[in-house]
Amino acid sequence: LSDTVFVTASGDRSWVAFGEGVRTPAGRIIMWSATSGLSRVEDIQDITNNTSDRIVGIGLNQNGTLGMARGTQAAYFFGNDLRLQGLTSQGSQGGGAGFVPTSNNNRTLAFTGTGNNTVQVVETTNYRPVGEIPIRDNVAGPFKVGPPLPGQNACPDYTQGTSGCVVARLYAVTAAGGVAIVDVLYDDLVRPNVAAGRN
């Protein structure tokens, strides 16, 4: 490993992904399965449409069937076979990658820093943005998504809720050297039902 390495585990701890920041010509992603050991080592140029990019964040969903590598050009979504599933364009700054922690399939929400003092919310059915949450400082380091805290007004799940209920909590290291802790509210999502694909 020749550069900064980002590490994440699936929510059920069955998969681990290592994202190597910068190599020539591109970074690498290494997938490891708790049941079968080393799964794949792949240059990300295969995931990033054969372009050279560096990794600035990596995340996995609950059971490791969907991952996200945040590059400097886009957020790239991949399966545990390290094949590209979809992408969404991002700015050249910012970082971080995370998923709603309880989802076991590809129909879920993903989160990534944009470089514009916001966190973008992406639905992973069609890989399109469904919300943007303003924050004071850009995400520049480790990024995790957790469930609402006990006692909070938690939404039943991310596809349904009422005004003011909490979908998830974001924890991110910022460019200013601090930590951002942000509640993602149902109101932050610009659609009544992501899974149904309605805006």
Side-chain angles (χ1 to χ4, degrees):
L1 298 172
S2 61
D3 191 51
T4 302
V5 176
F6 296 87
V7 181
T8 190
S10 61
D12 65 3
R13 305 296 188 243
S14 63
W15 287 90
V16 177
F18 304 87
E20 186 178 15
V22 181
R23 284 178 73 244
T24 301
R28 292 184 298 183
I29 294 176
I30 300 167
M31 291 288 292
W32 184 85
S33 166
T35 57
S36 60
L38 186 63
S39 173
R40 292 286 299 270
V41 179
E42 197 74 53
D43 286 344
I44 65 163
Q45 64 189 39
D46 187 50
I47 294 174
T48 61
N49 287 338
N50 295 315
T51 62
S52 180
D53 204 346
R54 59 188 296 258
I55 295 172
V56 294
I58 192 162
L60 291 173
N61 70 347
Q62 172 70 10
N63 63 2
T65 56
L66 184 66
M68 174 172 52
R70 174 63 161 93
T72 58
Q73 301 171 40
Y76 306 96
F77 295 88
F78 57 90
N80 55 20
D81 59 357
L82 292 179
R83 293 291 177 246
L84 182 67
Q85 303 296 310
L87 61 89
T88 181
S89 296
Q90 301 292 330
S92 60
Q93 303 295 319
F99 289 88
V100 167
T102 56
S103 175
N104 279 322
N105 59 43
N106 290 6
R107 183 173 284 182
T108 188
L109 296 179
F111 304 86
T112 185
T114 66
N116 298 318
N117 288 44
T118 61
V119 172
Q120 188 175 76
V121 186
V122 178
E123 61 82 13
T124 60
T125 304
N126 300 303
Y127 305 101
R128 62 187 174 90
V130 294
E132 204 153 316
I133 303 164
I135 56 176
R136 189 181 65 189
D137 302 306
N138 282 323
V139 175
F143 186 97
K144 282 307 266 185
V145 181
L149 294 177
Q152 282 190 306
N153 178 22
C155 298
D157 65 45
Y158 72 91
T159 64
Q160 57 184 335
T162 57
S163 180
C165 72
V166 180
V167 174
R169 282 173 65 87
L170 308 179
Y171 305 87
V173 174
T174 67
V179 176
I181 301 174
V182 180
D183 286 333
V184 179
L185 303 179
Y186 187 74
D187 304 323
D188 293 324
L189 309 177
V190 292
R191 82 309 163 254
N193 192 322
V194 170
R198 291 184 286 133
N199 284 328

